[in-house]
Amino acid sequence: LPKKMDLGVLSFGLVRKLIRTGSLPVGVVIFVSNPSHCKGLPGGSDEKKDDEDPYKEMAKQFGKEITLGAVTGFCSGYAMKKVAKAAAVGIGLFFIGIQILAYQGLITVPWAKVSKKFIETADLDGDGKVDEKDLLIVWKKVKEVLSHGIPNAGGFLVGFSLGLKMD
């Protein structure tokens, strides 16, 4: 795999790390990256015919593969994205409000202490910084909790990533 290639949500570098840590089945990556599964789409294994709808062809290919894990994964990913956006708006508005009050001299925020507390809380691997290793730890835990007991965890993970990409 190339060192880094944009996939929208994930980069190949992150995908490689997820495979190495056992968080992403290799078969899922092969299935998703195989252009023969994308008939009718740009870069697929055949050229698009003028009278053929590319989404119809994609549905034919993936329609046989839809599982409970994929459906619940998609719904979970979509819901996670919406909740994360709402949380980001709330945190952003809170920060703006705090900064306005601090600018007006009404409060003083000890940002050094806030930063230290954030690092203590979010540094899950104990290396003194918050980085992709900490995100991988969070991802492993999320994956473990959300796919617990689901017979098709690979389908769940593919559905989850598609749900995160959906607008």
Side-chain angles (χ1 to χ4, degrees), residues 83-166:
V83 168
K85 281 184 175 183
V89 168
I91 292 168
L93 289 174
F94 177 75
F95 174 75
I96 290 169
I98 293 293
Q99 282 299 98
I100 289 170
L101 294 173
Y103 179 77
Q104 293 176 349
L106 299 172
I107 63 171
T108 302
V109 181
W111 287 116
K113 288 182 181 180
V114 172
S115 179
K116 182 179 176 189
K117 186 65 174 173
F118 170 76
I119 291 172
E120 288 173 3
T121 304
D123 179 27
L124 301 176
D125 61 358
D127 65 355
K129 58 185 176 185
V130 179
D131 55 10
E132 74 273 357
K133 292 175 188 172
D134 298 306
L135 291 176
L136 282 173
I137 292 169
V138 170
W139 170 246
K140 278 184 178 181
K141 189 62 177 175
V142 167
K143 181 191 73 126
E144 178 185 329
V145 169
L146 294 180
S147 63
H148 177 74
I150 295 177
N152 184 3
F156 176 85
L157 294 173
V158 170
F160 189 83
S161 65
L162 289 174
L164 286 174
K165 292 173 105 175
M166 208 54 180

Side-chain angles (χ1 to χ4, degrees), residues 11-25:
S11 69
F12 275 114
L14 180 56
V15 170
R16 273 199 322 255
K17 285 181 184 177
L18 291 173
I19 291 170
R20 269 190 259 129
T21 60
S23 299
L24 186 66

Side-chain angles (χ1 to χ4, degrees), residues 16 29 31-32 41 56-60 68 98 137 142 148 160-161:
R16 273 199 322 255
V29 174
F31 178 78
V32 171
L41 296 175
K56 182 178 177 183
E57 284 301 310
M58 187 172 65
K60 284 181 186 177
L68 175 65
I98 293 293
I137 292 169
V142 167
H148 177 74
F160 189 83
S161 65

